[in-house]
Amino acid sequence: MTTVVRRAMRWNRPLMILVSLMAVLTVVAVVGILVDPRVLTGVPIWLKPFKFAVSFVLYGATLAWMLSLLPRRSRVVEWAVVVIVAVAVVENAWIVGQAARGQMSHFNDTTPVNTAMFAAMGAAIMVLFFAHLVIGIVVLIQRIPDRVAATAVGWGLGLSLLGMLAAVPMALPMQDPGIEGISGAHSVGVPDGGAGLPVVGWSTTGGDLRIGHFVGLHALQALPILAILLSRFATRLDERTRARLLVVAGAAYGVLTVMLTWQALRGQALLRPDAVTLAALAALVVTTATAAGLVLARRRRPELALVA
């Protein structure tokens, strides 16, 4: 275990320091959930710091691993990483501080300071978005030698940007709940803080914009995991075929992210899809299966690849 940790720390030191800090924060938030009885918007007050800490543990570790695959170091990437780490630390410090004070960290216009800080957080997240975009561009330019890994990393980085954009409607005027001091909402068609799924808290009675945001962000992990599984269990497929399957999976994942956001914007709970949503999902499944079938039908057999 010690060897694995040391190897991981060499992937990218600033990001792995961030991961370590967020791991500690995760423990602190868990303790807070267990010992602090306060509730905000219908959930334990330390649940938001917990979710953000876990999210940044996954984000930082995955991004550090991806950068370790680059054929050479990039000063631009190093600066982009510093920006991402700084934004993550500041954002989580604000979230923890507000939890300790018993106040909302998001959509909070109750005081001039809260209004200014929420606006600053929004600006900081846009800075993180562009730093993440810069890293994605550098990854595409440098071309990771492993074709399957390169496809997974490229799609993962791109789709996670889509996941970030899926959060934008939460703060738009259409999401103003009409409550004094509150300037946005996660839920659509129902107030925030109502009945929700365990841990994640996604609304079970109305739309919830956090779902598409969550799914899109975690493409950063989903696509590399799929690449690893294909390399491990689909050894009879050549590299080009596995890469093409990842393209199909990435495209389907992106469409799913958009569909989940579209479903939420229509005020529809995730587990209560209407006929239109089900039809769109069925079309996505059929299209994805057809595309994957075509890729497999055109694959090069190992023996033919050797001859070629």
Side-chain angles (χ1 to χ4, degrees):
M1 177 61 74
T2 303
T3 303
V4 172
V5 172
R6 287 178 179 172
R7 187 180 304 157
M9 287 300 294
R10 290 197 293 268
W11 289 345
N12 184 283
R13 187 165 293 276
L15 283 171
M16 294 311 295
I17 290 174
L18 174 66
V19 169
S20 301
L21 291 173
M22 292 300 104
V24 172
L25 178 55
T26 300
V27 176
V28 171
V30 168
V31 173
I33 292 171
L34 294 175
V35 305
D36 192 337
R38 292 178 297 169
V39 173
L40 187 64
T41 62
V43 297
I45 201 165
W46 288 95
L47 183 60
K48 176 163 285 192
F50 169 78
K51 291 193 293 186
F52 270 75
V54 171
S55 180
F56 272 106
V57 166
L58 294 174
Y59 177 81
T62 307
L63 189 57
W65 169 76
M66 288 179 170
L67 295 181
S68 74
L69 301 177
L70 291 177
R72 60 186 181 277
R73 293 181 61 182
S74 166
R75 190 171 297 243
V76 173
V77 166
E78 290 176 357
W79 277 108
V81 164
V82 170
V83 169
I84 288 173
V85 171
V87 170
V89 170
V90 170
E91 180 178 17
N92 281 277
W94 173 248
I95 291 170
V96 170
Q98 288 295 82
R101 296 173 61 214
Q103 296 198 28
M104 295 170 55
S105 57
H106 290 65
F107 318 128
N108 192 340
D109 286 342
T110 54
T111 68
V113 172
N114 286 334
T115 300
M117 285 304 299
F118 180 54
M121 280 179 58
I125 290 302
M126 288 307 299
V127 172
L128 186 150
F129 176 91
F130 284 109
H132 186 98
L133 175 62
V134 166
I135 290 175
I137 292 171
V138 171
V139 168
L140 291 177
I141 291 174
Q142 286 206 12
R143 294 182 179 275
I144 295 171
D146 185 321
R147 184 173 181 176
V148 177
T151 304
V153 169
W155 277 89
L157 287 168
L159 290 172
S160 57
L161 286 172
L162 177 63
M164 293 181 195
L165 291 175
V168 171
M170 298 180 193
L172 294 180
M174 66 180 185
Q175 280 297 97
D176 188 338
I179 301 173
E180 186 177 358
I182 306 299
S183 60
H186 301 124
S187 302
V188 179
V190 295
D192 277 354
L197 295 174
V199 183
V200 291
W202 299 336
S203 177
T204 55
T205 57
D208 199 313
L209 293 165
R210 290 174 294 186
I211 302 171
H213 178 53
F214 175 91
V215 171
L217 282 179
H218 290 289
L220 202 66
Q221 292 82 38
L223 273 295
I225 288 173
L226 178 57
I228 292 170
L229 291 175
L230 286 173
S231 297
R232 176 68 178 82
F233 298 106
T235 54
R236 292 183 61 83
L237 298 178
D238 61 277
E239 184 181 58
R240 182 173 62 177
T241 299
R242 281 182 275 135
R244 287 177 174 176
L245 287 174
L246 281 169
V247 171
V248 172
Y253 199 102
V255 173
L256 178 62
T257 300
V258 173
M259 282 178 55
L260 290 169
T261 304
W262 166 67
Q263 181 185 13
L265 287 170
R266 291 160 56 221
Q268 189 178 117
L270 175 66
L271 302 181
R272 296 182 180 179
D274 61 12
V276 175
T277 301
L278 289 174
L281 180 60
L284 175 60
V285 171
V286 171
T287 303
T288 303
T290 301
L294 290 173
V295 169
L296 292 173
R298 296 178 58 188
R299 72 185 187 278
R300 297 173 67 184
R301 295 181 180 179
E303 58 271 17
L304 293 179
L306 288 174
V307 171

